[in-house]
Amino acid sequence: QMMPQMMQQMPPQQMVYQQAAPWPAPGYGAPQQGYAPPPPAAGPGTVVVDGWLSKRAEDLGKTWMNRWFVLYSSGVLMYGKDRSQADKRIHLDSATKVRAMSHVTSTDESRRAAFKHPYGFEIFQGPHRRTWYLDAGSPEKRDLWIRSLNSAIAQLQGGSCGGYGGY
């Protein structure tokens, strides 16, 4: 219950090359003043957008954990416990749909979660594949991630994506 309240209080993010940070919020392990985070780890292409998102765990408790996410120009989406450990990959392909949790075409589970996570979105990969539930903490950050992910998916399909792809 504390996590959604804390995330709703976060101010709109300042984007550096569309960096969707800061997180964690003050009092939750935020860096001290003057702290400079390490440079992003080398990845497959240039960074399109990165930052902290809250990710729902796949386990039965379905806890929400803060993770550092990085979307590369090649369409590769990586995440990890922090910026230096973004080594886990979410596979994006032409069947992947990215949409706000509250969208009419979102999964039933996503629409139910939208009440507690109004700035959440899902990465739906199709039947019998994992659906990822993420919370950006603000409408601006959510829209940035949805737009960036759908654009990356459109490039994988060889097209362009001018809209929100189901948002």
Side-chain angles (χ1 to χ4, degrees):
Q1 185 85 15
M2 266 183 73
M3 185 66 69
Q5 290 172 346
M6 179 180 64
M7 291 179 72
Q8 290 174 9
Q9 296 171 1
M10 289 175 42
Q13 279 33 40
Q14 295 290 324
M15 301 298 163
V16 178
Y17 59 88
Q18 296 195 30
Q19 183 176 8
W23 185 269
Y28 290 87
Q32 299 298 317
Q33 188 174 23
Y35 170 81
T46 58
V47 174
V48 174
V49 63
D50 67 351
W52 292 102
L53 297 171
S54 186
K55 177 186 81 67
R56 195 185 82 177
E58 194 174 17
D59 65 6
L60 293 175
K62 302 202 190 301
T63 57
W64 288 79
M65 303 164 293
N66 299 322
R67 296 293 183 255
W68 183 262
F69 281 80
V70 182
L71 176 62
Y72 292 98
S73 56
S74 61
V76 172
L77 179 61
M78 306 288 290
Y79 74 96
K81 288 185 179 181
D82 61 45
R83 190 174 186 161
S84 65
Q85 295 179 348
D87 57 355
K88 296 178 182 173
R89 181 176 179 164
I90 297 178
H91 183 73
L92 303 176
D93 60 28
S94 60
T96 305
K97 306 289 183 214
V98 181
R99 53 206 172 195
M101 285 183 165
S102 58
H103 192 270
V104 67
T105 63
S106 292
T107 61
D108 289 342
E109 191 167 354
S110 188
R111 288 194 312 275
R112 282 192 301 273
F115 292 105
K116 288 187 178 181
H117 299 275
Y119 308 121
F121 61 98
E122 69 176 13
I123 300 175
F124 177 76
Q125 298 180 305
H128 311 294
R129 293 175 67 193
R130 181 171 177 184
T131 298
W132 298 81
Y133 302 99
L134 305 170
D135 192 330
S138 76
E140 297 85 4
K141 224 168 109 172
R142 177 198 58 205
D143 295 350
L144 172 66
W145 277 99
I146 290 173
R147 201 170 40 249
S148 299
L149 287 162
N150 280 320
S151 181
I153 292 164
Q155 287 180 5
L156 293 173
Q157 297 169 338
S160 64
C161 181
Y164 287 84
Y167 173 67

